[in-house]
Amino acid sequence: MSGEEDAFVYDEASGEWISAAEAAAKAGAENAVEVRDAVGNLLADGDQVTLIKDLTVKGAGQTLKRGTLIKSIRLTGDPQEIDCKFEGIKGLVLRAEFVKKR
């Protein structure tokens, strides 16, 4: 009997022996961060969002206007920040409170 499917680990939270696969799934669920937009919609990698207010981009010398569509966002692991790509701006990070899921 060898292999990961036969391995068991002790779960201190429940006080029970659980399978290694179940422990890995449980750890992944605990590390997941929920990112929500301005109206409470859950955001995920690849979503499209729209700005809900004009935002001045520091260092780029331009303002993103309300209603601007941002395509293909990426979550950063921070519940309030999303990584975006926008024409002419590298490394754009927006606060989730200023966007709405499309």
Side-chain angles (χ1 to χ4, degrees):
M1 288 187 143
S2 66
E4 194 172 305
E5 66 277 354
D6 298 328
F8 284 87
V9 293
Y10 184 73
D11 181 28
E12 292 182 16
S14 66
E16 298 176 357
W17 288 92
I18 58 175
S19 70
E22 187 178 339
K26 198 175 204 182
E30 289 175 0
N31 294 336
V33 175
E34 282 190 357
V35 180
R36 297 193 178 267
D37 67 1
V39 294
N41 295 324
L42 191 61
L43 297 175
D45 286 342
D47 283 346
Q48 293 183 352
V49 294
T50 305
L51 298 180
I52 62 168
K53 69 179 271 184
D54 291 353
L55 298 174
T56 303
V57 182
K58 295 179 183 177
Q62 78 183 81
T63 301
L64 296 176
K65 299 291 185 186
R66 178 179 174 207
T68 301
L69 177 66
I70 306 291
K71 298 179 181 179
S72 189
I73 66 168
R74 288 186 322 165
L75 303 181
T76 62
D78 184 320
Q80 284 299 314
E81 294 181 350
I82 55 174
D83 190 25
C84 311
K85 287 185 180 180
F86 190 75
E87 189 176 303
I89 303 173
K90 289 187 176 183
L92 179 62
V93 177
L94 296 175
R95 301 269 306 166
E97 64 189 291
F98 298 128
V99 298
K100 184 173 89 172
K101 187 173 180 176
R102 192 169 157 101

